[in-house]
Amino acid sequence: MTKTLIIANWKCNPVSVVEAKNLFKSADGVVRNAKNVEVVICSPFVYLSELKNGPKDQGSGVALGAQDCFWEQKGAYTGEVSPVMLKNLGCKYVIVGHSERRKYFNETNESVNKKIKAAFEAGLKPIFCVGEKHDEKEIIKEVLEKQLFEGLAGVSASKISDLIIAYEPVWAISSEEGEYCSPEYAFSANLIIKKFLFKEYDKTVADKARIIYGGSVDGKDAGLYIKEGKLAGVLVGKASLNAMEFGKIIKSMDAISS
Ligand code: PGA
């Protein structure tokens, strides 16, 4: 049985390695008693090796992910971090195309596409973020389809089983308006994505694709996106920085996924 995915996106937090290790350890402790969830922590680059050398080496149940990567594996690209470097460090996942990167760092569908391909090439599982802005709610289908079409250009059907698609309505993310996105709304976005995959690939790809929800998820509502939204997991920002709240999310998702 495929486990329910819970992905923590720490963003540019916390500010010290001690805090990072504590947060990781706390999530790890909860995950050890869970059977039905796969938990991934996407930490800032600078903490990844510490987290790997810490609890992970003692058989941690938490997988590691990064929040971005470059589209080349190596070379003269000052300041960049490549997918193969992340893989060699023990990362399994990498977030690509988060709306904050699109907004503050001019990430485009074209650069997202190059990053997705480079992540696959290095053996990482990309977590591809898509989502409409507040003023795009009326044209959500067009917006999601364009992001998916351009982001997945040249990505073969065989790769889709290693891809996570995170539906993150920009207006629901806590750093933006943080408006409530109902599980029914998330369900309709889920259907748009599935239909796209059916049209561009085939039924098997659409049925197997792991589509998760992100946007102000907390311990109270996380399970609803699985039960009512029929999503395969959640991407958690703010709440993943609170050890108690993140623990609640893991426990509740584990209970409803059994
Ligand atoms: P949030 O962030 O849970 O703080 O809304 C989610 C995300 O941006 O990935």
Side-chain angles (χ1 to χ4, degrees):
M1 193 191 82
T2 322
K3 295 184 174 188
T4 301
L5 262 177
I6 304 173
I7 303 177
N9 175 13
W10 284 356
K11 307 191 179 184
C12 191
N13 301 289
V15 295
S16 77
V17 68
V18 174
E19 287 172 87
K21 280 181 164 179
N22 284 341
L23 269 177
F24 191 88
K25 211 168 149 190
S26 156
D28 189 58
V30 184
V31 172
R32 278 166 202 271
N33 295 315
K35 289 190 183 65
N36 311 306
V37 290
E38 179 177 359
V39 177
V40 183
I41 288 184
C42 296
S43 128
F45 293 133
V46 289
Y47 303 138
L48 288 169
S49 60
E50 290 290 336
L51 301 178
K52 183 194 160 214
N53 292 332
K56 179 104 176 129
D57 283 350
Q58 294 148 32
S60 163
V62 176
L64 268 186
Q67 298 169 15
D68 183 35
C69 66
F70 190 43
W71 59 71
E72 295 289 347
Q73 306 298 353
K74 62 177 185 171
Y77 305 104
T78 304
E80 289 300 328
V81 174
S82 82
V84 73
M85 289 174 188
L86 295 171
K87 177 73 181 173
N88 289 341
L89 213 52
C91 282
K92 207 167 156 190
Y93 293 89
V94 60
I95 297 174
V96 180
H98 190 277
S99 63
E100 287 152 14
R101 294 214 58 88
R102 292 178 190 260
K103 179 176 174 183
Y104 299 116
F105 305 99
N106 303 321
E107 192 89 86
T108 62
N109 291 339
E110 195 191 352
S111 58
V112 168
N113 176 248
K114 289 203 258 182
K115 290 179 178 193
I116 289 175
K117 288 179 180 160
F120 276 134
E121 190 186 299
L124 293 173
K125 297 183 185 210
I127 302 159
F128 173 27
C129 299
V130 294
E132 79 287 7
K133 296 191 197 115
H134 195 276
D135 61 2
E136 294 172 334
K137 277 185 179 179
E138 298 285 309
I139 50 161
I140 176 175
K141 187 168 174 288
E142 286 86 333
V143 172
L144 295 185
E145 285 183 350
K146 184 170 164 56
Q147 289 173 346
L148 290 163
F149 187 78
E150 293 178 5
L152 295 178
V155 174
S156 65
S158 63
K159 292 280 182 213
I160 306 288
S161 53
D162 278 335
L163 177 82
I164 315 298
I165 298 178
Y167 168 62
E168 296 212 306
V170 180
W171 46 271
I173 293 176
S174 64
S175 59
E176 294 282 331
E177 290 95 344
E179 234 180 84
Y180 179 65
C181 172
S182 67
E184 300 79 54
Y185 190 99
F187 177 66
S188 58
N190 188 3
L191 278 188
I192 293 173
I193 298 169
K194 279 207 183 293
K195 279 185 186 159
F196 170 87
L197 295 172
F198 179 71
K199 187 162 60 96
E200 292 299 320
Y201 294 92
D202 57 37
K203 187 174 182 307
T204 318
V205 168
D207 288 346
K208 282 196 179 153
R210 289 203 284 176
I211 306 166
I212 65 172
Y213 170 77
S216 301
V217 169
D218 61 23
K220 285 195 298 293
D221 63 15
L224 296 177
Y225 294 102
I226 311 304
K227 273 208 279 196
E228 294 170 22
K230 308 283 177 226
L231 288 134
V234 286
L235 180 49
V236 189
K238 199 170 172 190
S240 71
L241 295 166
N242 177 324
M244 285 262 286
E245 193 64 34
F246 195 54
K248 260 197 228 167
I249 294 176
I250 299 172
K251 284 183 198 156
S252 72
M253 300 286 273
D254 188 50
I256 65 148
S257 306
S258 62

